[in-house]
Amino acid sequence: MLTSDRILPLQTIDQLKWDLGLPYDYQHSFVPNHPERFSYVRLPDHRVGLKLLFWDDKLAISELQKNTSLQQKAEDIKNGSLAFPISFTRGFGLKRKCMEWLKEWQKLPYTSPYTNASHLDPRTDVSEKRIVGVFHELLHLTLHKQTERKNVSNLRRPLALPQKFTKVFERHPGIFYISKKSDTQTVVLREAYNGQEPVQNHPLVQIRQEFASLLKKGLLDRSRGVYRKKPSDTNMVKGLRKGVCIAEKTNYLSSKDESDSMFSEYDSDGPLQNPC
């Protein structure tokens, strides 16, 4: 629903399916069960894409719009200039000129990520606020409110975004955080975390964590010799180890860092580009 033509290549969906909580075999177990909503199409580059057939206006409401009564001022709601929740790391300061620019930027009109924005000039701050809104919504749709940066790098055409659109992550460190743990750049939505802990856990996240714990226990018991070793057990152990790696993928940002806070130090793949 965020795309301009309601189509996404399967390759793009595959990169995001873990973060979105989709079944591993969604192409066979989920899509065929909803023929009235989805269909496969052949793209101009000969790849296969998934097309949305049914538009639901009830779902085309962004997270920012849902929380207007709690997070927004009455005047801003009336003017349609919704502001994003912003927080900075302790000790991270902006120059007064930049803070003034940020306050004025927050007052600009908010364009829903579910509406057509082709009329916006990509060189304007209003367009930039729309881009921020798109990724603010996309991260809210993920289970952990985060995804690897490479997963969004190929969304420019489907989402009708301008060149170098990912620069908004550096330009708005109060909204997004870029982690480089395990040599992997991960874009995190700041408002979704209180220190290292998520503000709210998705039910599927708890299931994954319990599954990872169960696999760990099985491997530990196996190493202690609790189970009688058989020649056929080799493949089973390899499978368990692989399962642990997959299940722990969602928890690598929750592990204890050298600091007390997940956002103790602003980190990105480049210096902050001052908008002012």
Side-chain angles (χ1 to χ4, degrees):
M1 294 179 71
L2 293 174
T3 62
S4 56
D5 53 6
R6 305 183 187 180
I7 297 176
L8 268 180
L10 291 183
Q11 180 183 3
T12 301
I13 299 176
D14 287 342
Q15 290 179 317
L16 291 166
K17 65 182 179 182
W18 175 268
D19 296 326
L20 294 174
L22 294 176
Y24 182 80
D25 60 343
Y26 72 94
Q27 298 181 32
H28 308 290
S29 63
F30 179 76
V31 175
N33 293 332
H34 300 277
E36 75 286 357
R37 294 180 179 270
F38 306 104
S39 69
Y40 292 112
V41 295
R42 181 68 62 178
L43 303 178
D45 58 5
H46 303 296
R47 290 185 298 170
V48 178
L50 187 65
K51 182 175 183 178
L52 180 68
L53 302 178
F54 178 79
W55 181 272
D56 190 343
D57 288 329
K58 295 179 181 179
L59 298 178
I61 302 176
S62 69
E63 192 69 20
L64 196 63
Q65 291 172 317
K66 293 176 184 177
N67 298 324
T68 51
S69 60
L70 299 176
Q71 299 177 345
Q72 307 295 329
K73 299 178 181 178
E75 183 179 354
D76 292 338
I77 296 175
K78 184 179 179 180
N79 298 331
S81 55
L82 305 185
F84 295 98
I86 288 181
S87 62
F88 293 100
T89 303
R90 184 188 304 174
F92 181 85
L94 288 178
K95 296 179 181 178
R96 173 181 290 183
K97 186 176 180 180
C98 295
M99 288 300 298
E100 292 176 353
W101 175 89
L102 183 59
K103 290 180 180 179
E104 293 301 316
W105 181 85
Q106 287 275 48
K107 295 178 182 179
L108 293 174
Y110 171 78
T111 304
S112 170
Y114 295 104
T115 60
N116 190 332
S118 58
H119 62 285
L120 296 179
D121 186 340
R123 298 168 296 181
T124 63
D125 287 341
V126 175
S127 176
E128 179 175 307
K129 188 170 183 178
R130 188 256 173 181
I131 297 173
V132 171
V134 169
F135 288 108
H136 181 271
E137 181 69 6
L138 179 61
L139 291 176
H140 261 295
L141 292 175
T142 62
L143 301 183
H144 292 267
K145 316 307 178 192
Q146 60 183 255
T147 189
E148 291 184 20
R149 186 167 184 164
K150 66 179 182 180
N151 292 342
V152 301
S153 62
N154 61 349
L155 287 174
R156 187 178 70 84
R157 289 186 179 179
L159 299 181
L161 300 174
Q163 296 281 355
K164 299 181 180 180
F165 64 91
T166 58
K167 287 299 179 182
V168 298
F169 301 141
E170 284 85 22
R171 287 172 62 84
H172 297 277
I175 302 175
F176 307 108
Y177 170 80
I178 300 181
S179 169
K180 284 187 175 180
K181 283 190 176 182
S182 304
D183 295 325
T184 301
Q185 289 192 15
T186 303
V187 183
V188 185
L189 192 62
R190 277 187 180 272
E191 69 187 72
Y193 285 83
N194 182 13
Q196 285 191 335
E197 297 299 321
V199 175
Q200 186 175 6
N201 257 335
H202 191 281
L204 186 55
V205 172
Q206 183 176 355
I207 294 175
R208 287 179 174 178
Q209 291 173 344
E210 291 176 355
F211 179 63
S213 298
L214 182 62
L215 292 177
K216 278 185 175 180
K217 184 179 184 301
L219 282 175
L220 183 61
D221 290 345
R222 183 70 177 84
S223 64
R224 290 173 175 173
V226 174
Y227 309 113
R228 180 178 298 179
K229 187 174 181 181
K230 300 177 182 178
S232 60
D233 286 348
T234 304
N235 292 334
M236 182 189 71
V237 173
K238 290 181 179 179
L240 283 173
R241 288 173 178 168
K242 183 178 180 181
V244 169
C245 292
I246 294 175
E248 287 189 326
K249 180 181 178 182
T250 59
N251 299 326
Y252 75 98
L253 276 177
S254 300
S255 59
K256 269 292 181 182
D257 202 350
E258 294 179 357
S259 58
D260 293 331
S261 173
M262 177 179 179
F263 304 125
S264 61
E265 180 182 358
Y266 174 70
D267 192 12
S268 72
D269 52 331
L272 174 64
Q273 301 294 322
N274 271 338
C276 48

